[in-house]
Amino acid sequence: MHAVMLSAGFGTRLYPLTETIPKALLPINGKPVIEYILDKLKNFDLKKTVIVTNEKYYSEFLKWLSVYTPAHPLTLISDGTKTEHEKLGAVGDLKFAVEQNGIRDDVLLLVSDMIFSFSLNKFLSAVKRKRRQNWMLLYGLKDKTQASKYGVASLDKNDRVIRFEEKPREPFSSCVAFGVYYLPRCKLSLIDDFFKDTGEHSEEKYDALGGYFKWLVDKKSLFGYVQRSGVWVDIGDKEQYKEAEKLIRGRRTF
């Protein structure tokens, strides 16, 4: 299995913090955000971790890699974009990472602007039951009204995602996607099919991963596992960044 980490966003909502440093490398209690995520992967049998960033932040990631020792082979790639206007979007960067590295293996896909306290073991155990299917890890929010900020999903009794919607005004579920997915090797070709179906360039569809996963729901090719314990914090703006810092300082482990 390969891990692919998406780190090519420009973090404009966090300016001026991210004018020269990517969100993934912002320090939380003295440790870059991305390292908290990589720590969760240490015990998995990964052939390689691929981090895709943009040209603006590429040199910053190189500096980080010069002092960081990964648990698995790690490849850093730039998608070549330098501005928000040029960006490929999350789905575009996923496609780029798969093609650039010739990945023909199962993919554990992660975004790199969040932290979570729980292990991914239960999620990957659930995946094993239907290993030839696409999966998303969902987080069960205690306050359903907060779900309107995220991609919201509902499942049937067999764990199939039967509805998925990005930032609905009236959430129909408290289960939200937060940036951890499993894509089996036999389904990677669906990424190309998605681009063919929706047109080569569509900022609205390709900017967020939700466009792709909503498309998978329509194809009846997406399953979900709900994480109902532990802590997750999305680091999308300054307030969330401060909250993450406060949480980490208040816990012995994360």
Side-chain angles (χ1 to χ4, degrees):
M1 183 167 66
H2 280 58
V4 173
M5 300 189 70
L6 302 180
S7 304
F10 289 88
T12 53
R13 287 190 294 159
L14 278 159
Y15 273 21
L17 296 175
T18 50
E19 283 187 295
T20 58
I21 301 174
K23 281 192 288 185
L25 296 183
L26 287 175
I28 295 182
N29 201 24
K31 180 175 172 177
V33 170
I34 197 169
E35 291 186 22
Y36 287 96
I37 304 170
L38 289 169
D39 283 350
K40 303 294 183 182
L41 308 182
K42 282 184 176 179
N43 295 324
F44 296 132
D45 184 19
L46 297 177
K47 293 179 183 176
K48 184 191 289 188
T49 297
V50 177
I51 299 174
V52 55
T53 185
N54 53 51
E55 196 62 25
K56 176 180 178 180
Y57 294 131
Y58 185 69
S59 61
E60 292 301 315
F61 275 99
L62 286 178
K63 290 178 188 176
W64 164 68
L65 279 175
S66 70
V67 296
Y68 176 73
T69 303
H72 306 95
L74 192 153
T75 297
L76 173 69
I77 58 174
S78 166
D79 67 6
T81 64
K82 296 179 181 180
T83 67
E84 181 84 8
H85 178 70
E86 295 175 328
K87 68 182 181 182
L88 303 183
V91 189
D93 281 317
L94 167 61
K95 184 175 187 287
F96 177 77
V98 169
E99 292 176 350
Q100 186 77 5
N101 289 271
I103 297 175
R104 298 293 181 268
D105 196 7
D106 301 336
V107 170
L108 180 63
L109 176 66
L110 307 105
V111 301
S112 58
D113 55 356
M114 47 91 175
I115 58 171
F116 54 93
S117 65
F118 42 87
S119 165
L120 295 178
N121 289 341
K122 290 182 179 179
F123 172 59
L124 291 178
S125 293
V127 163
K128 288 179 182 178
R129 300 198 300 265
K130 295 183 176 70
R131 197 159 198 149
R132 294 173 62 83
Q133 297 293 342
N134 296 293
W135 283 80
M136 62 165 47
L137 178 54
L138 301 164
Y139 186 78
L141 295 174
K142 292 181 174 62
D143 182 358
K144 184 177 176 180
T145 62
Q146 294 298 309
S148 61
K149 301 176 184 178
Y150 309 103
V152 180
S154 59
L155 312 177
D156 68 13
K157 63 181 181 180
N158 297 313
D159 298 324
R160 187 187 295 274
V161 180
I162 54 175
R163 185 179 177 186
F164 182 81
E165 189 175 337
E166 280 283 357
K167 301 180 181 179
R169 288 185 179 180
E170 297 184 7
F172 50 87
S173 167
S174 62
C175 299
V176 299
F178 68 96
V180 180
Y181 311 91
Y182 169 83
L183 310 176
R185 69 193 78 180
C186 62
K187 300 285 188 180
L188 290 181
S189 62
L190 288 174
I191 300 170
D192 287 331
D193 293 344
F194 170 71
F195 276 79
K196 290 174 185 175
D197 276 4
T198 56
E200 193 61 30
H201 297 288
S202 173
E203 184 175 334
E204 182 181 350
K205 288 183 182 294
Y206 303 154
D207 189 24
L209 287 170
Y212 179 56
F213 289 104
K214 182 174 175 55
W215 182 82
L216 288 178
V217 172
D218 294 338
K219 298 290 181 183
K220 295 182 169 32
S221 184
L222 184 62
F223 287 76
Y225 175 82
V226 183
Q227 177 73 35
R228 298 193 182 277
S229 61
V231 177
W232 156 66
V233 183
D234 174 34
I235 303 172
D237 57 34
K238 294 175 187 176
E239 289 304 311
Q240 290 170 319
Y241 178 54
K242 290 177 183 176
E243 182 184 349
E245 180 81 26
K246 196 179 299 181
L247 275 169
I248 293 292
R249 286 181 176 176
R251 297 172 69 99
R252 291 183 179 178
T253 59
F254 209 93

